[in-house]
Amino acid sequence: MHVLPLFAGIYRRGAGLGPATAFLYSGPAINVLAIVLTARVVGLEIGVARAFGAVSLSIVVGLLMHALFRGDEAVKAAAARTVSIPPPARPLSHDTLYFASMVGILVFANWGAPAAPAGTWAAVFSAKWLVTAVLGAAFALMLVAWLKLPAWKVGLAVLATAGAGILSPDVPLVPFSVAVLGLSLTTSTDRGEGGEWFAATWGFAKQIVPLLLVGVLVAGLLLGRPGHEGLIPSEWINRAVGGNSLGANLFASVAGAFMYFATLTEVPIVQGLMGSGMGKGPALALLLAGPALSLPSMLVLHSLIGLKKTAAYVVS
């Protein structure tokens, strides 16, 4: 689901349907950490097959979508050629640093505790909030220098975040939430690029979040989650995907397409299913279909590109 706003952004800015859908599929499917974790937990053979299959299928999906809707894409390309493109507001290097700081904040703020209490990962975990704070300060400077947001508004947001961190040192979620609120208030009241950024973000949130909640609810009711039964008993699934038959592979693909997987959760799920008799073929099918598709993402895609294109993407 985290790829959908990026997909919507590049598609609305003029990217072709083929490259955009290839990115939509490959984003969650070709996750370096997920590939490494798959190879380590499930087996090197499955990990290599997942990496190769995800790259190949993303190309196939993009080519199929372009071929199926070539007429629509021709009209879109012709319309794009008549639109004058204004010069960029700042160098690409500025945008790269700007987005890298936001990605860094999300990565380090969500850095989980490692299994071993010592070592490199443990050291990173112990310093995660310090690194997040440094990245946040750099991000604040960029907002003032490059997005031209009022320095006093950004400064107030920084002071409020620092105060929340001092008052709640053991609850990092409090200063993080204050920072998000301060950023929202600062950008929403700006009449320039900051206001446009907030408007686009808020528009995506209103479009995606309700569908995400409904889709996750339905998927959870039907298929459950690790350690908890859904309306469809896990014994039925284990019977359906046992062995390596065509039917088992087809069922694994369909089940994976409708089930919602949070990042990396597909690996322990597949590991448990393989321990119950799931074949390697259905396991690979689930790993390729699950992260790239889900009922929530289908609902959101329908609102972005329409029923026909969504159906074609799901089938392809």
Side-chain angles (χ1 to χ4, degrees):
M1 289 295 293
H2 60 283
V3 181
L4 284 170
L6 298 176
F7 163 79
I10 64 175
Y11 182 64
R12 288 178 177 176
R13 286 179 174 268
L17 181 63
T21 50
F23 169 78
L24 177 63
Y25 179 87
S26 64
I30 313 174
N31 183 315
V32 176
L33 183 57
I35 298 296
V36 172
L37 187 63
T38 301
R40 183 172 181 179
V41 175
V42 182
L44 179 62
E45 184 181 16
I46 297 294
V48 173
R50 182 184 184 183
F52 178 78
V55 173
S56 303
L57 285 177
S58 66
I59 297 173
V60 172
V61 168
L63 292 175
L64 283 175
M65 292 296 290
H66 174 74
L68 289 172
F69 300 98
R70 184 178 301 174
D72 294 348
E73 289 302 291
V75 173
K76 180 180 176 182
R81 284 193 291 267
T82 63
V83 178
S84 60
I85 302 176
R90 56 188 159 270
L92 180 61
S93 59
H94 287 190
D95 287 338
T96 302
L97 290 173
Y98 180 72
F99 283 105
S101 66
M102 289 192 289
V103 171
I105 290 170
L106 290 176
V107 168
F108 286 100
N110 292 281
W111 196 284
T120 303
W121 302 126
V124 173
F125 178 74
S126 64
K128 58 179 284 188
W129 290 113
L130 176 60
V131 176
T132 303
V134 172
L135 290 171
F139 179 63
L141 291 175
M142 295 178 201
L143 290 176
V144 175
W146 298 340
L147 260 68
K148 307 302 181 184
L149 294 181
W152 67 271
K153 288 185 179 181
V154 176
L156 285 178
V158 171
L159 289 176
T161 303
I166 294 173
L167 294 175
S168 304
D170 299 325
V171 189
L173 185 60
V174 173
F176 190 81
S177 301
V178 172
V180 172
L181 179 60
L183 176 62
S184 300
L185 291 175
T186 303
T187 53
S188 64
T189 55
D190 184 66
R191 295 185 178 182
E193 192 175 1
E196 295 176 1
W197 178 37
F198 177 83
T201 303
W202 180 240
F204 282 136
K206 289 189 294 183
Q207 188 176 34
I208 291 174
V209 171
L211 296 175
L212 172 63
L213 294 177
V214 172
V216 170
L217 176 63
V218 173
L221 286 174
L222 292 178
L223 298 172
R225 58 189 176 89
H228 295 78
E229 288 283 351
L231 295 179
I232 301 176
S234 59
E235 290 81 5
W236 294 6
I237 298 177
N238 292 334
R239 272 203 307 269
V241 296
N244 198 25
S245 64
L246 177 62
N249 282 277
L250 179 61
F251 184 85
S253 298
V254 174
F258 281 91
M259 188 174 182
Y260 175 73
F261 290 98
T263 304
L264 303 180
T265 55
E266 73 276 7
V267 177
I269 291 174
V270 168
Q271 182 189 28
L273 290 173
M274 290 184 71
S276 301
M278 186 182 202
K280 291 184 177 180
L284 180 59
L286 185 64
L287 288 170
L288 291 174
L293 277 175
S294 68
L295 182 59
S297 68
M298 293 179 199
L299 295 173
V300 175
L301 267 182
H302 171 260
S303 68
L304 293 174
I305 60 177
L307 178 60
K308 185 189 297 185
K309 293 177 181 177
T310 301
Y313 174 73
V314 172
V315 172
S316 61

